[in-house]
Amino acid sequence: MPAINGQEFLRRIRHLQPEIWIEGKRITDVCNHEAFKDILKSKAALFDFQMKKDHMDLMTYNSPVSGERVGTSFMLPKTKEDLEKRRLSTQAWAKLSGGMMGRSPDYMNSCLMALGTASDHFQDSLSRGNNILQMYERARENDLTFAHTFVNPQVNRSMLYFEDEEHPISAKVVKETSDGIIIKGARLLATQGGITDELLVLPIGGKYISESFIYTFSIPSNTPNLRFICRESFRYRTSQFDHPLGARFEEMDTIVVFGDVFVPWDRVFLYNDYSISMQLASETRYFTFLLHQATARQVVKTEFLLGLAQMIVETIDIGSYSHVQGKVSEIISALETLKALLLSSEINAKPDKRGRMVPDVNPLSAAITSFPRLYPRFIEILETLGASGLISIPTEKDFDSPVRGDLNQYLQGASCEARDRTKLFRLAWDVCLSAFGGRQKQYERFFFGDPVRLESGLYNSYSKESAMSLAKFILDSEEIE
Ligand SMILES: Cc1cc2nc3c(=O)[nH]c(=O)nc-3n(C[C@H](O)[C@H](O)[C@H](O)COP(=O)(O)OP(=O)(O)OC[C@H]3O[C@@H](n4cnc5c(N)ncnc54)[C@H](O)[C@@H]3O)c2cc1C
């Protein structure tokens, strides 16, 4: 089945029944579980959106294999216009959650597209290149959804730490058979783990101490002995008035436990090959395509926060204070910078040896290393502008109770009624102060990896030659007469 609607997505997830644990209990019906039903509904809404007549041209394209409409995020970009279409489709989905759904399906679809269209990089005597190509095509033709994991458990991050080989903590290959590999241990931190069709397990990166850690594969979420352990849910109110974001976009994060999970060879894309693993990012450019998607979403999120800030300003009429103008301008500057970086990545895109139009990674790296600092600052600005307004936020039930009269009188805004003012400030609270908001801040800091190491990566990969030539020229040049 090509591009799907929400009903089909929910049907598949309901049918899967993966092993998901939350608060000590195993979930039997994920689609009706309090912690998951709303995020699944919100994801289903994305699929319904792509199937609407007015959106279909942007959100889908004709499959090169079947000719049927398939999701744009699976599209191999051959031109700059293709990149633009990819960006606009990501942003169309992101607008439905204000960029708060970090793991809309297009994120991992972009990764699979990059890996699948560079399948020759995986080619070895065991035809693993064919495996990744087939996986990409199967995902595209069936609109499959993916969670992913690329981090080992945070037990000991010292440079001198080597794990006990006998008792694995980090997931590793413990046995190889003629049919596949057996994985034992854990991985962090799969957002939406268990509520996607598949789990994509990517290399951890860096140097490996043993070949048993060098693997990449994808398996269905309901694979036997695969377990997802959830944190507590941050969707603790059903009312959208009370919890406007958490009630709809709480994605959940999970620890992934592999208890001797069997992965058949045709699901293995990379195994025990250090050089293929080390060149994965540079050859497939999957980081670059992921960055393009992520920055497109972050632009939407920044625009949403700007709108929210300005609504607070107007609601309590603080726009004439110069420091308030300055703070909102900070968000405006960041928004325009991020937009410029994203566009610059497309304008300076170049075709690679595989005929793929690859965005310029430098502006995207600049965006991803800036956002972990920018996002907490946006939150600080909203908190500063909203002040006690972010705390004096009665619930929907209070407005339906005998205290309604007091609320209507004392919580009105400069230009709106108390209920509307409270609704707006509850949204700001959910962005800034709720558990959902706190998780968003941590997400934007870390979802693409450790910002410290991302900055080192930018430092090491960025060509500084022309900047140094300029500095040398100024250093050596004679005084101008
Ligand atoms: C909300 C959220 C959702 C996430 N979703 C996913 C997901 O879906 N899939 C996924 O795979 N991952 C996900 N992650 C995990 C994310 O990839 C990691 O948080 C990130 O890679 C950093 O790894 P870590 O958390 O283990 O931090 P650590 O590596 O343990 O770092 C802890 C601290 O030590 C420092 N440190 C550690 N090692 C070094 C070093 N070698 N050099 C310098 N400093 C070092 C770091 O800078 C940091 O300050 C998610 C994270 C969050 C917060």
Side-chain angles (χ1 to χ4, degrees):
M1 178 179 277
I4 57 170
N5 61 20
Q7 203 186 358
E8 173 59 14
F9 166 70
L10 290 175
R11 187 197 65 74
R12 275 203 321 233
I13 299 299
R14 189 173 300 115
H15 180 73
L16 266 178
Q17 300 202 322
E19 187 182 336
I20 310 175
W21 289 78
I22 186 164
E23 301 211 28
K25 291 199 180 101
R26 184 170 173 179
I27 294 175
T28 48
D29 179 4
V30 74
C31 291
N32 287 313
H33 191 279
E34 290 299 309
F36 293 97
K37 63 184 184 185
D38 291 310
I39 182 63
L40 286 170
K41 237 189 264 168
S42 298
K43 274 187 86 176
L46 301 181
F47 289 107
D48 284 337
F49 180 89
Q50 75 175 3
M51 299 308 277
K52 288 219 171 91
K53 210 166 135 258
D54 289 354
H55 306 144
M56 212 170 211
D57 274 353
L58 174 64
M59 302 306 295
T60 65
Y61 72 111
N62 290 326
S63 158
V65 172
S66 63
E68 298 209 62
R69 301 301 288 187
V70 290
T72 296
S73 50
F74 289 109
M75 181 175 72
L76 179 162
K78 291 184 179 151
T79 63
K80 292 183 181 179
E81 288 71 33
D82 289 345
L83 281 179
E84 183 186 19
K85 180 170 174 171
R86 289 182 59 87
R87 162 174 43 93
L88 292 175
S89 72
T90 277
Q91 293 189 323
W93 264 358
K95 280 177 188 165
L96 300 180
S97 68
M100 292 282 163
M101 202 194 290
R103 293 297 155 82
S104 49
D106 47 329
Y107 186 65
M108 271 298 110
N109 296 353
S110 302
C111 180
L112 275 161
M113 180 282 291
L115 299 179
T117 56
S119 60
D120 55 296
H121 174 63
F122 296 81
Q123 205 63 23
D124 60 13
S125 56
L126 296 166
S127 295
R128 298 219 170 87
N130 288 345
N131 295 348
I132 184 67
L133 180 61
Q134 278 168 14
M135 186 69 240
Y136 160 55
E137 293 189 337
R138 191 163 53 239
R140 183 187 66 204
E141 299 304 319
N142 295 285
D143 222 351
L144 297 180
T145 56
F146 292 79
H148 74 287
T149 166
F150 67 94
V151 180
N152 282 336
Q154 193 190 43
V155 173
N156 185 334
R157 295 289 196 239
S158 149
M159 271 188 251
L160 303 174
Y161 172 68
F162 293 101
E163 203 175 294
D164 177 359
E165 289 278 312
E166 291 294 303
H167 303 99
I169 297 171
S170 307
K172 62 187 264 191
V173 178
V174 288
K175 198 169 168 199
E176 196 184 314
T177 72
S178 55
D179 296 325
I181 49 179
I182 314 277
I183 306 281
K184 187 177 179 60
R187 279 290 192 98
L188 302 179
L189 174 74
T191 299
Q192 293 197 12
I195 56 167
T196 56
D197 296 286
E198 299 240 348
L199 175 74
L200 179 62
V201 181
L202 292 161
I204 45 174
K207 295 203 170 67
Y208 302 95
I209 47 165
S210 114
E211 66 278 2
S212 53
F213 291 99
I214 306 177
Y215 53 77
T216 299
F217 58 83
S218 183
I219 46 177
S221 294
N222 61 355
T223 299
N225 304 329
L226 176 63
R227 176 178 286 171
F228 299 94
I229 304 176
C230 302
R231 58 164 166 75
E232 72 173 272
S233 170
F234 299 152
R235 173 219 175 261
Y236 36 71
R237 278 179 181 272
T238 51
S239 159
Q240 285 191 22
F241 179 95
D242 292 350
H243 206 165
L245 299 172
R248 288 180 289 169
F249 307 121
E250 147 65 327
E251 292 184 273
M252 184 54 75
D253 307 288
T254 61
I255 299 161
V256 185
V257 179
F258 300 84
D260 289 323
V261 169
F262 169 67
V263 183
W265 284 122
D266 65 355
R267 289 307 198 111
V268 178
F269 315 134
L270 160 67
Y271 176 52
N272 194 4
D273 192 318
Y274 188 68
S275 90
I276 294 182
S277 178
M278 288 310 283
Q279 288 164 15
L280 198 62
S282 59
E283 274 289 323
T284 69
R285 310 300 295 269
Y286 79 102
F287 259 47
T288 310
F289 284 108
L290 280 173
L291 281 175
H292 186 247
Q293 187 279 351
T295 310
R297 177 188 60 79
Q298 288 172 335
V299 163
V300 171
K301 194 166 188 172
T302 306
E303 191 158 23
F304 163 52
L305 297 191
L306 171 62
L308 184 57
Q310 184 58 21
M311 284 183 79
I312 290 173
V313 168
E314 291 182 13
T315 298
I316 55 173
D317 202 7
I318 51 174
S320 56
Y321 301 115
S322 59
H323 79 94
V324 169
Q325 296 169 1
K327 288 184 171 94
V328 178
S329 296
E330 263 190 64
I331 310 181
I332 296 172
S333 300
L335 173 61
E336 289 303 318
T337 305
L338 290 168
K339 276 166 45 179
L341 290 170
L342 186 54
L343 285 182
S344 152
S345 81
E346 293 174 20
I347 290 165
N348 295 317
K350 291 201 174 55
D352 69 359
K353 62 185 179 195
R354 300 182 174 92
R356 309 177 306 170
M357 185 57 73
V358 182
D360 183 0
V361 73
N362 284 335
L364 297 174
S365 299
I368 203 71
T369 49
S370 303
F371 209 68
R373 272 192 290 267
L374 288 173
Y375 191 78
R377 175 64 186 148
F378 299 155
I379 300 305
E380 189 183 21
I381 290 172
L382 285 166
E383 288 167 353
T384 314
L385 298 180
S388 70
L390 265 61
I391 303 295
S392 36
I393 44 170
T395 63
E396 190 170 28
K397 280 190 181 147
D398 291 309
F399 279 95
D400 294 332
S401 79
V403 299
R404 181 189 326 125
D406 285 345
L407 300 181
N408 285 342
Q409 177 64 8
Y410 304 125
L411 288 185
Q412 59 186 297
S415 56
C416 67
E417 291 180 356
R419 201 174 190 283
D420 293 336
R421 180 187 178 284
T422 305
K423 193 175 176 201
L424 174 70
F425 275 88
R426 286 205 74 96
L427 177 61
W429 162 82
D430 215 2
V431 168
C432 301
L433 297 177
S434 69
F436 176 89
R439 186 249 174 214
Q440 288 285 325
K441 194 158 72 176
Q442 196 68 342
Y443 180 84
E444 295 300 353
R445 275 198 185 114
F446 283 107
F447 83 97
F448 208 79
D450 174 18
V452 171
R453 278 166 276 171
L454 287 174
E455 277 178 345
S456 289
L458 177 58
Y459 174 80
N460 289 318
S461 65
Y462 192 86
S463 167
K464 296 168 268 303
E465 293 310 314
S466 87
M468 281 175 62
S469 310
L470 177 59
K472 276 190 191 130
F473 167 74
I474 301 294
L475 185 69
D476 298 339
S477 57
E478 302 289 322
E479 230 175 78
I480 300 168
E481 307 242 327

